Amino acid sequence: MPSANRTTIALAVTDGMLHFELALAYEVFGADLTDLIAPWYEVVLCGPNAVRVGRFRLEPDHGLDRLPHADTVIVPGWADVDEAPPADLVDAVRAAHEAGARIASLCTGAFVLAEAGLLDGRRATTHWAHTDVLAARFPQVEVDPDVLYVDNGSVLTSAGKAAAMDLCLHLVRLDHGSAAANTVARRLVVPPHRSGGQAQFVPAPVPTRNDHPLTELFPWVLERLDQPLTVEDLARRARMSSRTLTRHFHAATGTTPLQWLLTQRIRRAQELLETTSHSIDTIAASTGMGTATTLRRHFNRTLGVPPDTYRRTFHATRSDTP
C-alpha cells in the first residue's frame, strides 16, 4: 500500500523501453541526496526477469507485481508505438493505480497508461511526433500536443526527452518543494523550472554550447532577481540589441525575456515562502516585485493561490530552518 509521503519510486521496465527516459528518471530520483533532502526517495526497478532496454540488458530488482506497493510508478518511453505494450505491464500499471499509486509516464510511456485505461476522459500528452497516433488509437483521451507535461493529480504524462526531465523535477517540487527541486536541477545543470503549459516544440533546439550568446546571462540574472531588471538591462549585459536578445531568448526558452524573468521571480518567492519566515513585503523586495500587492497579484495569477495560503500549505509541513 503506498505511503503518504511518496518516498518509494518504482520504475516499470520491460523489453522495448527507451533507455534515455529510464536513465533520466533514475538520475533524478536514484541519486543519494539524503544529506541535503530527507527523506529522499527509495528507487526500485521492476520488470519481468531480465529485460533489454535499447542496447542494454537490465536485471530488475523486483517483478512487476511490486508496482502496487510503490508510492509513485514511472513508465519510461515505449520504443515501438505501433505495437501494443505487453499485457503484464499494462495490468501491473493499472493495478498500481487502483492501489493508490501515483502514475507518471515519460514520452511515449503514455501509450502504456492509455492502454491501461488511466487516461480515459483525461487530458494527456506525449512526444509531439506521436500525439496524432495516441489521439487516433485512444479517442477517449484528450491529447494535448502543445505542452511539456500534464498533471492530473494521480496520473501525469510528459512529452519527450527534455520534457521528461521537466516532469521529474515537477514531481520533486510537489513532494519536497521548490528549493529541493532547484537543488536537484543545479546538480544536473538543467533549468530549475519550465511550466507544463509551455510549448514542447520550438523551431530551434535549446542551445547547450558554452559559447551561446545567453550562456552567461542566465546565472547573472538569477543572482539579481531583487533588482528591477528590464529587457534593456538584459540586452546590455548580453551585448546585443533588445530585438536580438528577444529572438535568442525565445529560441532558448520558448518564451519572452520578461515572462521568463517573472517565472524566476515567482519561483524564488516560492522558495522564500517555504524556507523562511520573512514577511510578504520583504519577499516582494527580495524577488524584485516591489510591493506585497504586486507579488500577491502575480503569485495568485500564476499558481492559483495567494502567497499566504501557499506558505501555510508548504512551510508548516517542512522542517526547513527559517
Side-chain angles (χ1 to χ4, degrees), residues 111 126 130-145:
F111 283 81
T126 189
H130 303 293
T131 50
D132 288 345
V133 177
L134 183 65
R137 189 175 304 167
F138 303 98
Q140 63 274 40
V141 180
E142 182 186 344
V143 179
D144 190 338

Side-chain angles (χ1 to χ4, degrees), residues 31-56:
D32 184 4
L33 297 179
T34 51
D35 58 327
L36 299 174
I37 307 164
W40 191 237
Y41 301 102
E42 174 193 358
V43 176
V44 293
L45 196 66
C46 300
N49 302 314
V51 299
R52 185 159 294 281
V53 180
R55 296 183 178 181
F56 303 100

